[in-house]
């Protein structure tokens, strides 16, 4: 690669400051994409799981026990949402 091409690549690369600005703007769009009530439900679901002895990350056995204990009490829709929230929490931690 010649020196001019290398300079063009360097000049076209966004600065760290502009990347942070883009990341901040993306975070704002993400925040707006989730309704406040949904966000509250997610937090409540995760708090219930943790109050029941669950942790993030958790083993499949802990999750299975949580679901079994609450299967007769909570609706299928609630349990499904809680599985989704627990999964999302694991994904955010990269586990």
């Amino acid at each position: 690669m010649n020196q001019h091409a290398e300079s063009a690549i360097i000049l076209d690369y966004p600065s760290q400051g502009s990347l942070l600005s883009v990341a901040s703007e993306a975070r704002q769009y993400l925040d707006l994409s989730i309704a406040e009530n949904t966000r509250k439900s997610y937090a409540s679901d995760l708090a219930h799981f943790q109050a029941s002895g669950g942790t993030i990350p958790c083993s499949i056995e802990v999750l299975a026990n949580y679901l079994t204990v609450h299967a007769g009490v909570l609706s299928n829709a609630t349990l499904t949402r809680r599985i989704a929230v627990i999964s999302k929490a694991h994904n955010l931690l990269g586990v």
Side-chain angles (χ1 to χ4, degrees):
M1 180 178 295
N2 67 36
Q3 184 178 6
H4 179 68
E6 288 175 4
S7 296
I9 291 171
I10 292 169
L11 292 174
D12 289 341
Y13 190 80
S15 69
Q16 185 175 0
S18 66
L19 287 176
L20 292 175
S21 175
V22 169
S24 175
E25 186 175 350
R27 177 64 188 188
Q28 289 173 358
Y29 285 122
L30 179 61
D31 287 344
L32 292 173
S33 73
I34 301 171
E36 183 64 27
N37 285 340
T38 301
R39 203 179 337 269
K40 287 178 184 178
S41 292
Y42 288 173
S44 175
D45 290 343
L46 195 54
H48 185 268
F49 175 67
Q50 292 173 325
S52 299
T55 59
I56 304 295
C58 73
S59 67
I60 191 68
E61 292 82 10
V62 168
L63 180 58
N65 184 59
Y66 172 79
L67 296 172
T68 301
V69 167
H70 294 91
V73 180
L74 301 174
S75 71
N76 288 341
T78 298
L79 291 173
T80 300
R81 189 183 68 232
R82 292 200 175 156
I83 292 169
V85 169
I86 293 164
S87 174
K88 186 176 192 94
H90 279 81
N91 288 337
L92 289 172
L93 290 178
V95 293

